[in-house]
Amino acid sequence: MHNIHLHGRADIRRILLVKWSALGDVIISTAILEDLRQAFPNATIDLNILPPWDRLFRQDTRVNNLLVIDLRGQDKGWKGVWRWLQTVRRNKYDLVIDLQSNDRSRFLISALRILSPVRPILMGNRRSFPYHLSPPWKSKPIEVAALDQFRQTLAAGGIQTGTPRPVLQIPQENLERAAQMLKQHGLSPQGFAALIPGCQAAGHLKRWGTDNYVALARKLQEAGLEKIVLVGGKDEIKDCAEIEAACGEWVVNLCGKTEIFDLVPIFAQAKVIIGNDTGPTHLASCTERPIVVICGPTDPRRVKPAGDNVRAIQADLPCINCYQKECDHHSCMKAITPEMVFEMVKPELENNRVESRDL
C-alpha cells in the first residue's frame, strides 16, 4: 500500500492497538492512544495488553474494550495463540496497529493475515511481513526514541500525531488520595523535589545508589526546597528507608504507600523530578514538570521518558549501554556525581528563588 491516508476515514470503524511491554513502553504508548482517539473519534478502539498493566486502562474512556490474554503466563503456548486469534478474528477489526512488533506479535498477526476472512489493514513498527504499512526500517533503530518510532508507524498510514507526552486518565479517587497525601505531609505546590531512587530488583545495575541520592537530597534541601519526597514500590523500600534515615524530617518517604495512579498528581506538584531508568519515571513524564533520568547500562536514546521536559544524564564511558545484569565495577553509575545531577536542575531552583523575591 502506498500513499495511504487513514486519518479520520469513516470506514475505519474498529481498531486494535497492540502493546505488551513493560510499564515504561506502555506509558509512552498512551500518547499514541490519545492521537488515535482524536483521529478516529467515533471508532471502537480496543487495546491488547498484558497483565498487570491492564489495570491502568480499566476506567480509560479512550478504550472501548481491553483484550487481556496472558501470553507470558497462564495463556502461554498454543492455548494463548488460539485464544488470541479467535478473539481478534471475531472482532473483525478494520485496522490493527502493532506497537510491539516482536517475533511473537508478528507471528500472531501473520496468522491473522493468512487465516482471517476479514482483511484488516496491518501496521507495525518495522518493515516486514505481515504489515501493510510501516516505517522505512527493517529493525527498530536505537537512535530513534520509542515515541518517535510509534509516531512514524502511524505516519506510514497518514495518521496525524501531535500529543507531546504520555496521557493517563487518573480516576477521581486517586486524585483525592494524592491531594490528601500532599496535605498530610505539608507538600506545597513546587515546594518539593520527587526522587525515584530504585528500580525492580532484576535491574539493580540501573540504581544510582542510596549514598548519591542522600547527597543530592541534601543539596536540594540546602538550595531552598522545603521537602524531598521518595517514591517507589516494594523493591525500593530498603533503599528509600536508608535515604530517609540518613537525612531528616524534611524527607517524606512515600515508598510502598502509594497506588500507581496516585503518583501522577503527586509528581505534577513537584518542582523537579529525578530518578533512575524505571517505570515511575515514565509515570512522571505524564506531567510537565522538569525531569532528569539517570542512565548507565541502558541507552537513553531508547529508555528516556517521552516529553521535551525530560533530560537524561549518562557518563561518557566505553562500557555504557551494555544492558548487562551483573557488573563487577558499575563504573557508569559511579562516574555520575550528585553535583553533576544537581547542576542539571539548578536553573529551575534559581528561577524559584527569583519568583519568590518578586512576590
Side-chain angles (χ1 to χ4, degrees), residues 51-332:
W53 308 127
D54 55 306
R55 69 180 191 240
L56 297 178
F57 301 95
R58 293 290 177 189
Q59 301 182 51
D60 197 312
T61 60
R62 297 167 297 183
V63 177
N64 294 91
N65 302 288
L66 287 172
L67 174 54
V68 185
I69 299 175
D70 191 0
L71 295 166
R72 297 171 183 168
Q74 64 182 11
D75 296 312
K76 187 177 182 179
W78 289 109
K79 171 187 173 183
V81 168
W82 182 246
R83 185 181 166 202
W84 191 94
L85 284 172
Q86 289 291 89
T87 303
V88 174
R89 288 177 62 190
R90 184 170 59 248
N91 288 341
K92 298 180 180 179
Y93 294 106
D94 302 302
L95 175 63
V96 176
I97 304 171
D98 181 10
L99 294 185
Q100 198 64 31
S101 295
N102 61 12
D103 290 343
R104 183 177 298 172
S105 69
R106 288 174 57 223
F107 171 78
L108 288 172
I109 293 175
S110 295
L112 176 70
R113 178 169 175 172
I114 294 168
L115 300 175
S116 178
V118 178
R119 301 299 182 191
I121 299 170
L122 305 175
M123 302 179 71
N125 287 351
R126 61 182 68 182
R127 178 159 292 179
S128 63
F129 187 86
Y131 308 119
H132 302 115
L133 298 169
S134 61
W137 49 74
K138 291 185 177 180
S139 60
K140 298 177 186 177
I142 292 175
E143 65 275 9
V144 180
L147 181 54
D148 288 332
Q149 291 182 27
F150 299 162
R151 286 171 173 162
Q152 291 190 46
T153 300
L154 267 62
I159 301 174
Q160 298 172 19
T161 59
T163 302
R165 60 182 53 82
V167 180
L168 272 181
Q169 293 187 356
I170 309 301
Q172 182 62 34
E173 62 189 81
N174 295 99
L175 292 173
E176 293 172 359
R177 274 173 50 86
Q180 181 59 35
M181 288 184 194
L182 292 167
K183 181 178 179 181
Q184 175 186 348
H185 295 287
L187 299 170
S188 59
Q190 298 191 36
F192 65 94
L195 303 185
I196 309 168
C199 66
Q200 62 176 335
H204 66 96
L205 291 183
K206 296 191 291 184
R207 299 189 182 196
W208 189 37
T210 55
D211 289 346
N212 284 324
Y213 274 105
V214 168
L216 178 62
R218 289 172 176 162
K219 285 184 171 293
L220 293 168
Q221 196 261 347
E222 291 167 0
L225 289 177
E226 302 165 5
K227 299 284 180 72
I228 306 297
V229 174
L230 307 177
V231 300
K234 62 181 181 179
D235 289 342
E236 292 87 55
I237 288 176
K238 181 176 180 292
D239 285 7
C240 288
E242 290 177 0
I243 297 168
E244 179 185 21
C247 295
E249 294 183 353
W250 43 272
V251 167
V252 177
N253 186 1
L254 296 182
C255 183
K257 300 174 184 176
T258 58
E259 296 179 2
I260 195 166
F261 277 128
D262 299 336
L263 292 175
V264 175
I266 291 173
F267 287 140
Q269 298 300 320
K271 183 65 178 177
V272 294
I273 304 160
I274 302 164
N276 301 331
D277 168 23
T278 184
T281 311
H282 286 274
L283 281 170
S285 71
C286 295
T287 76
E288 297 181 1
R289 305 311 308 146
I291 301 168
V292 174
V293 57
I294 301 167
C295 294
T298 55
D299 192 333
R301 293 173 297 178
R302 295 173 62 180
V303 305
K304 187 170 76 73
D308 56 9
N309 55 320
V310 185
R311 292 183 293 164
I313 183 170
Q314 188 181 44
D316 185 12
L317 297 173
C319 61
I320 55 174
N321 308 333
C322 68
Y323 284 85
Q324 296 296 316
K325 298 298 182 183
E326 298 295 337
C327 176
D328 59 5
H329 55 85
H330 210 202
S331 300
C332 59

